Amino acid sequence: MAEKPEQVRVLYCAVCGLPAEYCEFGPDFEKCKPWLIQNAPDLYPDLLTDADGKEADKVADQLQSTTISSGASSTSQPEDVKRLPGGKIKKKEKQEVVIEKVVRNKRKCITTVKGLDLFGIKLGEAAKKLGKKFATGASVVKGPTDKEQIDVQGDIAYDIVEFITETWPDVSETAIFFIEDGRKVPAA
């Protein structure tokens, strides 16, 4: 009878979240070095020869003190980026409204409004107001990036800017952009 294979234990880096063998390919190898010297010296022996023992301990102590104090300390600056597993970075979205005109069936147009929800505007109410103002159909739909957007029937791209800035004063005209010929153009 065949023997059961042993379970493999993988050591994950506390800094970048990758397996320790792959830290050198991650985005923050310089930040990972002190942790690797302390916790996985056999994986990267050349790191031990490059760094003095005192210097490695000093950096490791700094690393430990920052991870412990980062939750309780109010002096550290809040970052606009969010770390995802595997070292990927997710940036905070800018508050901007993007208006795009999509042509269908040669003469019919749909105006798409994206980003109103970033200003705290409820999209259902906004679609209702747009539909009443321009006497067209307006609905909230999921876009290609799985984010909700407002589709308004008709070509109202240039009239909609004035309506948005008057109805919702939080949205400035500098935060509204058009997509023309695949490029983002400011409305102002």
Side-chain angles (χ1 to χ4, degrees):
M1 206 157 52
E3 294 182 31
K4 289 185 179 179
E6 275 191 41
Q7 188 177 18
V8 177
R9 295 230 178 245
V10 179
L11 178 66
Y12 287 96
C13 178
V15 178
C16 66
L18 293 173
E21 297 89 13
Y22 294 104
C23 277
E24 64 183 315
F25 304 112
D28 297 327
F29 185 57
E30 292 298 319
K31 292 180 183 177
C32 294
K33 282 182 181 180
W35 186 89
L36 289 170
I37 290 170
Q38 187 177 17
N39 297 309
D42 55 322
L43 290 176
Y44 297 100
D46 51 321
L47 288 179
L48 289 174
T49 58
D50 290 347
D52 294 329
K54 294 177 185 176
E55 188 179 327
D57 290 338
K58 179 181 167 186
V59 175
D61 290 339
Q62 284 179 340
L63 180 66
Q64 286 179 346
S65 65
T66 56
T67 56
I68 293 169
S69 65
S70 65
S73 176
S74 61
T75 58
S76 64
Q77 297 176 347
E79 293 184 350
D80 287 346
V81 295
K82 182 180 177 184
R83 291 254 174 214
L84 297 174
K88 293 182 182 177
I89 298 173
K90 181 178 182 182
K91 292 185 179 178
K92 193 174 185 180
E93 291 187 51
K94 293 181 183 176
Q95 283 191 329
E96 61 185 19
V97 177
V98 179
I99 300 170
E100 183 178 8
K101 184 178 95 171
V102 180
V103 180
R104 63 176 187 90
N105 295 343
K106 295 180 185 173
R107 290 178 20 191
K108 307 274 183 180
C109 295
I110 295 176
T111 304
T112 304
V113 182
K114 304 173 194 171
L116 278 177
D117 54 335
L118 298 175
F119 290 93
I121 299 169
K122 293 182 180 175
L123 294 182
E125 294 174 9
K128 193 171 185 179
K129 286 182 181 181
L130 286 168
K132 283 185 178 182
K133 166 70 177 172
F134 296 106
T136 61
S139 60
V140 179
V141 296
K142 282 201 175 197
T145 59
D146 287 337
K147 294 197 177 208
E148 292 189 333
Q149 62 189 24
I150 299 174
D151 281 355
V152 184
Q153 294 177 4
D155 183 10
I156 59 165
Y158 293 98
D159 300 332
I160 203 169
V161 174
E162 184 179 337
F163 176 73
I164 289 174
T165 54
E166 287 175 1
T167 309
W168 298 286
D170 295 343
V171 183
S172 66
E173 196 167 333
T174 57
I176 300 175
F177 295 92
F178 291 113
I179 294 185
E180 296 176 351
D181 301 327
R183 293 182 314 195
K184 193 186 284 188
V185 180

